[in-house]
PDB file of all heavy atoms in Angstrom:
ATOM      1  N   GLY A 140     169.785  76.699  80.356  1.00 97.00           N
ATOM      2  CA  GLY A 140     171.075  76.004  80.354  1.00 97.00           C
ATOM      3  C   GLY A 140     172.173  76.891  79.828  1.00 97.00           C
ATOM      4  O   GLY A 140     171.936  77.889  79.130  1.00 97.00           O
ATOM      5  N   LEU A 148     168.749  72.375  69.805  1.00 95.00           N
ATOM      6  CA  LEU A 148     168.587  71.097  69.097  1.00 95.00           C
ATOM      7  C   LEU A 148     167.617  70.174  69.826  1.00 95.00           C
ATOM      8  O   LEU A 148     166.917  69.374  69.189  1.00 95.00           O
ATOM      9  CB  LEU A 148     169.944  70.413  68.916  1.00 95.00           C
ATOM     10  CG  LEU A 148     170.917  71.129  67.969  1.00 95.00           C
ATOM     11  CD1 LEU A 148     172.182  70.296  67.784  1.00 95.00           C
ATOM     12  CD2 LEU A 148     170.267  71.408  66.616  1.00 95.00           C
ATOM     13  N   VAL A 257     170.263  65.679  81.057  1.00 98.00           N
ATOM     14  CA  VAL A 257     171.699  65.558  80.786  1.00 98.00           C
ATOM     15  C   VAL A 257     171.832  65.271  79.294  1.00 98.00           C
ATOM     16  O   VAL A 257     171.510  64.186  78.821  1.00 98.00           O
ATOM     17  CB  VAL A 257     172.344  64.450  81.638  1.00 98.00           C
ATOM     18  CG1 VAL A 257     173.821  64.309  81.285  1.00 98.00           C
ATOM     19  CG2 VAL A 257     172.182  64.769  83.124  1.00 98.00           C
ATOM     20  N   LYS A 264     183.519  63.163  74.936  1.00 96.00           N
ATOM     21  CA  LYS A 264     183.934  63.419  76.317  1.00 96.00           C
ATOM     22  C   LYS A 264     182.776  63.360  77.314  1.00 96.00           C
ATOM     23  O   LYS A 264     182.925  63.767  78.467  1.00 96.00           O
ATOM     24  CB  LYS A 264     184.618  64.785  76.408  1.00 96.00           C
ATOM     25  CG  LYS A 264     185.927  64.869  75.623  1.00 96.00           C
ATOM     26  CD  LYS A 264     186.540  66.263  75.735  1.00 96.00           C
ATOM     27  CE  LYS A 264     187.836  66.354  74.929  1.00 96.00           C
ATOM     28  NZ  LYS A 264     188.424  67.718  74.976  1.00 96.00           N
ATOM     29  N   PHE A 379     167.068  63.126  83.391  1.00 98.00           N
ATOM     30  CA  PHE A 379     166.831  62.349  82.172  1.00 98.00           C
ATOM     31  C   PHE A 379     168.074  62.337  81.288  1.00 98.00           C
ATOM     32  O   PHE A 379     168.924  63.218  81.385  1.00 98.00           O
ATOM     33  CB  PHE A 379     165.650  62.949  81.394  1.00 98.00           C
ATOM     34  CG  PHE A 379     164.315  62.663  82.026  1.00 98.00           C
ATOM     35  CD1 PHE A 379     163.894  63.398  83.125  1.00 98.00           C
ATOM     36  CD2 PHE A 379     163.511  61.652  81.545  1.00 98.00           C
ATOM     37  CE1 PHE A 379     162.680  63.129  83.726  1.00 98.00           C
ATOM     38  CE2 PHE A 379     162.298  61.368  82.141  1.00 98.00           C
ATOM     39  CZ  PHE A 379     161.872  62.103  83.231  1.00 98.00           C
ATOM     40  N   ASN A 411     147.556  89.778  91.416  1.00 69.00           N
ATOM     41  CA  ASN A 411     147.151  90.964  90.675  1.00 69.00           C
ATOM     42  C   ASN A 411     147.330  92.202  91.553  1.00 69.00           C
ATOM     43  O   ASN A 411     147.837  92.114  92.673  1.00 69.00           O
ATOM     44  CB  ASN A 411     145.712  90.827  90.153  1.00 69.00           C
ATOM     45  CG  ASN A 411     144.678  90.823  91.270  1.00 69.00           C
ATOM     46  OD1 ASN A 411     144.986  91.013  92.439  1.00 69.00           O
ATOM     47  ND2 ASN A 411     143.421  90.613  90.896  1.00 69.00           N
ATOM     48  N   GLU A 435     159.326  93.317  64.086  1.00 82.00           N
ATOM     49  CA  GLU A 435     159.785  92.673  62.860  1.00 82.00           C
ATOM     50  C   GLU A 435     159.472  93.560  61.661  1.00 82.00           C
ATOM     51  O   GLU A 435     158.431  94.223  61.626  1.00 82.00           O
ATOM     52  CB  GLU A 435     159.123  91.298  62.689  1.00 82.00           C
ATOM     53  CG  GLU A 435     159.593  90.282  63.707  1.00 82.00           C
ATOM     54  CD  GLU A 435     159.222  88.855  63.339  1.00 82.00           C
ATOM     55  OE1 GLU A 435     158.811  88.632  62.181  1.00 82.00           O
ATOM     56  OE2 GLU A 435     159.342  87.984  64.211  1.00 82.00           O
ATOM     57  N   ASN A 462     147.350 101.432  81.295  1.00 93.00           N
ATOM     58  CA  ASN A 462     147.180 102.810  80.827  1.00 93.00           C
ATOM     59  C   ASN A 462     145.729 103.145  80.460  1.00 93.00           C
ATOM     60  O   ASN A 462     145.467 104.201  79.900  1.00 93.00           O
ATOM     61  CB  ASN A 462     148.115 103.092  79.638  1.00 93.00           C
ATOM     62  CG  ASN A 462     147.948 102.057  78.531  1.00 93.00           C
ATOM     63  OD1 ASN A 462     146.860 101.528  78.307  1.00 93.00           O
ATOM     64  ND2 ASN A 462     149.045 101.760  77.827  1.00 93.00           N
ATOM     65  N   ILE A 567     173.906 103.929  76.933  1.00 95.00           N
ATOM     66  CA  ILE A 567     173.152 102.677  77.001  1.00 95.00           C
ATOM     67  C   ILE A 567     173.784 101.772  78.052  1.00 95.00           C
ATOM     68  O   ILE A 567     175.004 101.710  78.200  1.00 95.00           O
ATOM     69  CB  ILE A 567     173.055 101.946  75.640  1.00 95.00           C
ATOM     70  CG1 ILE A 567     174.441 101.646  75.045  1.00 95.00           C
ATOM     71  CG2 ILE A 567     172.225 102.748  74.646  1.00 95.00           C
ATOM     72  CD1 ILE A 567     174.388 100.739  73.830  1.00 95.00           C
TER      73      ILE A 567
END
Side-chain angles (χ1 to χ4, degrees):
L148 293 185
V257 177
K264 295 179 181 178
F379 286 78
N411 68 5
E435 291 195 13
N462 53 33
I567 57 171

